[in-house]
Amino acid sequence: MSGQGDKRTWRVGVAGLGTVGAGLLNFLSEQPDFAPAGGRAVVTGVSARSKSRQRPVDISNLPWFDDAAQLAASPDNDIFVELIGGSDGPAKVAVETALKAGKPVVTANKALIAEHGAELAALAEAQGVPLLFEAAVMGGTPAVKMLREAMVGDDVKSLAGILNGTCNYILTEMEASGRPFADVLADAQRLGYAEADPTMDVGGFDAAHKISILAALAFGCAPNYAAAEIEGIDQIDILDIRMAKDLGYRIKLVASADRSPDGVLVRVHPSLAPLNHPLAQAGGALNALFIEGTRIGRIFIQGPGAGSGPTAAAVAADIADVMTAATRPVFQGPAKSLAPFTPVDPRKSVSRAYMRFLVRDEPGVIAAVSETLAEAGVSIESFLQKPVEDAGGVPIVLTTHAVAESVLISAIDKIAGLPAVIDRPRLLRIARI
Amino acid sequence: MSGQGDKRTWRVGVAGLGTVGAGLLNFLSEQPDFAPAGGRAVVTGVSARSKSRQRPVDISNLPWFDDAAQLAASPDNDIFVELIGGSDGPAKVAVETALKAGKPVVTANKALIAEHGAELAALAEAQGVPLLFEAAVMGGTPAVKMLREAMVGDDVKSLAGILNGTCNYILTEMEASGRPFADVLADAQRLGYAEADPTMDVGGFDAAHKISILAALAFGCAPNYAAAEIEGIDQIDILDIRMAKDLGYRIKLVASADRSPDGVLVRVHPSLAPLNHPLAQAGGALNALFIEGTRIGRIFIQGPGAGSGPTAAAVAADIADVMTAATRPVFQGPAKSLAPFTPVDPRKSVSRAYMRFLVRDEPGVIAAVSETLAEAGVSIESFLQKPVEDAGGVPIVLTTHAVAESVLISAIDKIAGLPAVIDRPRLLRIARI
């Protein structure tokens, strides 16, 4: 490494030259003021799948590596930035290579950290180097730094957030336009808000990676993506969006993590949020997060979850942290103290719920439904029956008071068995926010 | 200092044992998990005005110092925490003493940092020690860390926030109860939301200290409290709250900082925020902040601005930053680079406004008012005349399109001269958020 006195030039290798990689290269070359601890960050090597592909950044003068692991191992860079993505494959190999070479790593790879974060943290700390991943969750909105550092003086009890901008965009547009999921998804793909294969986003898997990382930071446990309950938005009917609104709610894909004496519950579900709640108000492609700490109380943050500008700025902030040499553990506590968490049985979790059934227009239906619920131990908070054209039956929607999930499932089964009920009732949770 | 291998016990001296000091002492003694970088933080000396006063914490076993500067100078502590308050006097002397002794300082003192931040930063950096002040702004909500570190990869253009919980509580309660300012202030004092002498809060001075600090962090300039435009909430009439609501707005004490090629404008004013805007929704004693960055876009954060739990947790997070040895400058850039900012002439600033007049119930009043405004170059966006009982006249309220402040003031002067207008018209800005 080169330097002048205590000012130092840090050489940066960047693997992955998509939107974020190009944004980072442009940022570092255009930002003469970016001088953390008086040093400079200069890109000295790049790697991607295709050298010749058209890009919004000029890489012709930069040393090229076909193999990201070779870039990671090269002695010609001091910091390795991984922007390839994917929990396994070249990203994992390259990150491990960099850490084993004693090199600080900055990554935007949520799948990698959610699925292999504990082992990578152990490797990083054994080498005494930072492993930073602000850009992996909520893009330019600094939730990772907030949980890792600002909340170190508190015990966090729960997190609830909107962590996937694709799903937020789709649900917001479904409500605004009244059009069904498939139509709005197609538009989102055309506009670049959704991928050609949208499964990771609309299936809830991306949000689950992100909430697993945040839960680990919040609770001092190892990230445990495998224990996350995941339900995406691909079954959301425009009818539910309308009727939830009639009852005063908006449907959002809520990713949540709760810690109790029984353990930790991490889940991603389409859930109802009260219309005037900040999470319900965070529309379009925004991301948003509620953090509840024992001492601090409730902090809410919202901002851009993706995009070249915001995400590159988050990567740059992590590079600045490397350059200012903070010796923190990767998560909130040292890697060896990251306990595997005890997953709580979700069927014991208590929440309020929204149920929607389609019923035949016959006498006695409301009586049958409400008696069934009462016998099952479910207490009704709101109830609405409202004929809707082309619904295939008469929709009934209701919200319940708080009850255990196992009781809800059992009640739904009984109601599905009533003669007047046309199909399996739809169940959505009301977010605990 | 003592230590075992690379684990180290950091000895902490705490000056000021009010709500925050007591909360911090309790936190450090009750939190066995608080071990940043594997070290421990132990209080080894305290100082306050009165040794024998009743406190919610037991200090009988701790070395006592009558003089905070002596505590700061003592070789028996490694970190000095200043929780006394006040821009000058014992707090300033003690902080300077600690920094000159090469000791890291953590403070919650917004007045000190707003008025003397640049000189203290120079002193801290000359000694190579941190000066941290998360708890000085927005209590437990980590705005300082966010601006100093997470936004280092961006150019911040503007800030707009609600930074004083006393004023937010009072305005929220005035709207909810319909009671006048003086009554609600008295209640707030009884409940502990306002001081016996409430001037610093309701006069807007506390919010001005805080926004001066945030502006320095955001724009890379020296804090310049003297240049802040300050207007408090003590002239807010319940009539304005009601009529602003009729027009779709809520009145908040908004602290803002804007950077333009002309310089920096820092101001605190009661302003109108659209009812569905996150700042308008942050009620009660909450604090909230919008940050607009060139790359990141808009980030919004809200949370508790005060209180023993949140503020002590913020001080603890700063202590953790000291213990993890990050070598950052005090503000975003090194002290010697903190340019004094060029204050922008506020009369040139362009904004939308709310005006309220009381007029005699006579023919031709609306015509006179609207012609006067048109001639003055003010274009009307909304207009409402609505008789209200016991108002002393008929209220007219209107909102304007964007216009320079000097034009607004001149228009107000002309309208005040109209025969039908009963008293000097009230002007409130519409927040640019």
Side-chain angles (χ1 to χ4, degrees), chain A residues 153-394:
Chain A
D154 200 355
D155 288 319
V156 177
K157 291 192 292 192
S158 70
L159 307 171
I162 295 169
L163 305 181
N164 182 275
T166 301
C167 290
N168 200 19
Y169 173 84
I170 289 173
L171 291 171
T172 304
E173 188 56 26
M174 284 176 74
E175 177 182 335
S177 66
R179 292 183 300 136
F181 173 78
D183 286 8
V184 176
L185 171 61
D187 278 355
Q189 288 167 316
R190 260 195 302 279
L191 291 166
Y193 284 109
E195 310 276 343
D197 177 358
T199 313
M200 284 300 290
D201 293 319
V202 304
F205 303 104
D206 173 77
H209 277 136
K210 293 165 175 173
I211 191 68
S212 299
I213 294 172
L214 296 183
L217 288 165
F219 304 144
C221 57
N224 188 349
Y225 172 70
E229 291 253 307
I230 306 175
E231 181 190 354
I233 64 165
D234 41 315
Q235 298 300 310
I236 295 295
D237 195 302
I238 188 67
L239 177 64
D240 288 310
I241 291 180
R242 289 164 51 187
M243 302 206 74
K245 196 165 184 184
D246 283 340
L247 294 177
Y249 293 95
R250 178 164 284 135
I251 296 179
K252 293 290 194 185
L253 187 71
V254 177
S256 64
D258 295 277
R259 175 168 63 172
S260 69
D262 299 332
V264 173
L265 180 55
V266 176
R267 45 196 337 184
V268 175
H269 291 288
S271 308
L272 273 62
L275 284 169
N276 64 356
H277 190 279
L279 277 182
Q281 299 276 325
L286 281 176
N287 282 193
L289 181 69
F290 252 103
I291 301 168
E292 182 156 5
T294 310
R295 284 179 202 80
I296 289 180
R298 290 152 64 82
I299 291 180
F300 174 74
I301 184 169
Q302 82 177 28
S308 166
T311 316
V315 175
D318 275 348
I319 290 172
D321 268 4
V322 172
M323 293 167 72
T324 54
T327 55
R328 285 191 194 87
V330 173
F331 291 90
Q332 226 197 61
K336 60 186 183 305
S337 75
L338 296 179
F341 68 65
T342 310
V344 166
D345 180 354
R347 291 172 312 152
K348 292 188 184 155
S349 83
V350 171
S351 74
R352 296 161 55 221
Y354 158 100
M355 295 183 186
R356 186 249 303 167
F357 342 107
L358 277 180
V359 301
R360 304 179 209 288
D361 195 359
E362 301 168 352
V365 177
I366 293 183
V369 164
S370 51
E371 276 165 19
T372 306
L373 287 169
E375 280 164 17
V378 176
S379 175
I380 297 171
E381 179 192 58
S382 313
F383 190 103
L384 170 65
Q385 173 171 318
K386 190 166 112 168
V388 167
E389 276 190 37
D390 303 325
V394 181

Side-chain angles (χ1 to χ4, degrees), chain B residues 90-372:
Chain B
K92 181 166 188 272
V93 174
V95 166
E96 287 171 336
T97 303
L99 293 175
K100 285 174 186 164
K103 206 175 277 191
V105 170
V106 175
T107 178
N109 193 334
K110 61 227 68 168
L112 179 71
I113 300 297
E115 299 188 35
H116 303 293
E119 46 186 275
L120 293 174
L123 180 51
E125 286 168 35
Q127 294 286 348
V129 290
L131 169 60
L132 300 169
F133 41 87
E134 184 68 66
V137 185
M138 295 182 75
T141 308
V144 170
K145 177 175 273 284
M146 191 180 314
L147 282 168
R148 184 181 55 223
E149 301 169 30
M151 304 300 290
V152 73
D154 200 356
D155 288 319
V156 177
K157 293 192 290 193
S158 71
L159 306 171
I162 295 169
L163 305 181
N164 182 274
T166 300
C167 290
N168 199 20
Y169 172 84
I170 289 173
L171 291 171
T172 305
E173 189 55 26
M174 284 176 73
E175 176 181 335
S177 66
R179 292 183 300 136
F181 173 78
D183 285 9
V184 175
L185 171 61
D187 278 355
Q189 287 167 316
R190 257 195 304 280
L191 292 167
Y193 283 108
E195 309 276 342
D197 177 359
T199 313
M200 285 299 290
D201 292 319
V202 305
F205 304 104
D206 173 79
H209 277 136
K210 293 164 174 173
I211 191 69
S212 300
I213 293 172
L214 295 183
L217 287 165
F219 305 144
C221 57
N224 190 349
Y225 171 70
E229 291 252 308
I230 306 174
E231 181 190 353
I233 64 166
D234 41 315
Q235 299 300 311
I236 296 295
D237 195 299
I238 187 69
L239 177 64
D240 288 310
I241 292 180
R242 289 165 51 188
M243 302 206 76
K245 198 167 183 184
D246 283 339
L247 294 177
Y249 294 95
R250 178 164 285 134
I251 296 179
K252 293 290 194 184
L253 186 71
V254 177
S256 63
D258 294 277
R259 175 167 64 169
S260 69
D262 298 332
V264 174
L265 182 56
V266 176
R267 45 197 336 187
V268 176
H269 291 288
S271 309
L272 273 63
L275 284 170
N276 64 356
H277 191 279
L279 277 182
Q281 299 275 324
L286 282 176
N287 281 192
L289 180 69
F290 252 105
I291 300 169
E292 182 156 5
T294 309
R295 283 178 204 81
I296 290 181
R298 289 153 64 79
I299 292 180
F300 174 76
I301 184 168
Q302 83 176 30
S308 167
T311 316
V315 175
D318 275 348
I319 290 173
D321 268 4
V322 172
M323 293 168 71
T324 54
T327 55
R328 286 195 193 84
V330 176
F331 290 90
Q332 227 197 59
K336 61 186 183 303
S337 76
L338 296 179
F341 67 61
T342 310
V344 165
D345 180 354
R347 290 171 313 154
K348 290 188 186 158
S349 82
V350 171
S351 75
R352 295 160 59 220
Y354 158 100
M355 295 183 186
R356 187 250 301 168
F357 341 106
L358 276 180
V359 301
R360 303 180 209 288
D361 194 0
E362 302 169 354
V365 179
I366 292 181
V369 165
S370 49
E371 275 164 21
T372 305

